[in-house]
Amino acid sequence: RKEVEQDPGPFNVPEGATVAFNCTYSNSASQSFFWYRQDCRKEPKLLMSVYSSGNEDGRFTAQLNRASQYISLLIRDSKLSDSATYLCVVTYSGGGADGLTFGKGTHLIIQP
Amino acid sequence: DAGVIQSPRHEVTEMGQEVTLRCKPISGHDYLFWYRQTMMRGLELLIYFNNNVPIDDSGMPEDRFSAKMPNASFSTLKIQPSEPRDSAVYFCASKDRRRLSSPLHFGNGTRLTVT
């Protein structure tokens, strides 16, 4: 079983719609969680950290469900510029390099 | 801070040549990572350093690949001899080891093409 799993998509979503996708992790000792965004031919960039109580940044909402071991990302009022690949990252204390583990990414396409 | 700085941005070379990729991490970051990304294999961790010491190089494809970190502000990834299958984007990233909650910061990457 892969440590961090994401639906690769692509998710084709009309502009203005709400879209959500999840990332599941297998290590129950995981402690820190992040969503990264990667545009075509660019480096991954931090979108937002994911906090235990959930957090929001403008149109983006991230949530953590420890019981079911997944994190989610919800994008409201999607824009064409949201088209990208979204990577989830999980870390845990005691792992080499903080146990940094990337998902393979979910490809999102916002259509006009 | 300028962020993680990589050079060159693009490298085109012929099979058999030596390639050297360079990285300057964010000042104060203890961890430095080298990743390779291709369409087929996604993002792969090649090696990482902790306080300039290589900790895990199990991701390095083979002996043709080597990485060094002579000081806290500089690292190199060398491929010798290069092969067409090495064509990929190579990312360097750094992280503050003291806080588990600190994120990973990537450089712009080096796009390597071996012909």
Side-chain angles (χ1 to χ4, degrees):
Chain A
R1 181 182 174 186
K2 296 179 182 176
E3 294 185 44
V4 178
E5 291 197 60
Q6 295 183 251
D7 183 339
F11 284 51
N12 290 283
V13 175
E15 189 177 8
T18 295
V19 60
F21 31 83
N22 295 337
C23 166
T24 60
Y25 60 93
S26 60
N27 188 338
S28 59
S30 298
Q31 294 178 265
S32 294
F33 308 87
F34 309 90
W35 282 106
Y36 279 72
R37 171 197 169 121
Q38 185 173 24
D39 294 294
C40 187
R41 304 173 75 86
K42 297 287 184 66
E43 76 276 20
K45 290 185 178 178
L46 179 67
L47 177 65
M48 58 197 303
S49 301
V50 186
Y51 302 124
S52 297
S53 55
N55 48 300
E56 190 174 302
D57 183 1
R59 298 181 293 108
F60 298 83
T61 300
Q63 292 195 314
L64 167 63
N65 186 317
R66 284 195 183 275
S68 300
Q69 295 186 196
Y70 73 88
I71 62 172
S72 63
L73 180 67
L74 182 142
I75 306 174
R76 290 181 300 278
D77 186 24
S78 54
K79 312 291 185 190
L80 296 176
S81 58
D82 294 334
S83 297
T85 297
Y86 291 84
L87 302 161
C88 75
V89 181
V90 174
T91 72
Y92 65 91
S93 178
D98 293 343
L100 268 165
T101 306
F102 279 80
K104 297 290 187 186
T106 295
H107 188 37
L108 175 64
I109 301 171
I110 306 299
Q111 297 174 327
Chain B
D1 199 310
V4 177
I5 300 173
Q6 289 186 247
S7 65
R9 290 294 304 274
H10 302 275
E11 178 80 35
V12 181
T13 191
E14 292 183 347
M15 185 174 69
Q17 296 298 306
E18 177 181 300
V19 175
T20 300
L21 311 181
R22 297 173 177 81
C23 175
K24 176 178 167 50
I26 291 174
S27 177
H29 280 190
D30 314 275
Y31 280 140
L32 183 140
F33 303 81
W34 282 101
Y35 287 91
R36 176 172 70 176
Q37 188 173 41
T38 61
M39 290 290 291
M40 294 295 292
R41 301 169 73 108
L43 197 64
E44 302 175 277
L45 176 64
L46 300 176
I47 185 172
Y48 80 93
F49 295 82
N50 180 4
N51 284 323
N52 315 337
V53 177
I55 302 300
D56 183 359
D57 65 354
S58 60
M60 297 284 261
E62 48 198 89
D63 293 344
R64 298 184 298 106
F65 285 68
S66 63
K68 294 182 180 179
M69 192 166 185
N71 57 61
S73 59
F74 183 65
S75 177
T76 59
L77 178 67
K78 185 178 292 186
I79 308 172
Q80 181 184 23
S82 57
E83 297 182 2
R85 60 188 167 132
D86 302 330
S87 298
V89 180
Y90 290 80
F91 290 109
C92 176
S94 70
K95 182 182 187 298
D96 181 352
R97 175 179 174 270
R98 291 162 293 180
R99 293 187 302 126
L100 187 66
S101 60
S102 67
L104 194 60
H105 296 265
F106 284 83
N108 290 335
T110 295
R111 185 170 297 277
L112 173 64
T113 302
V114 183
T115 60

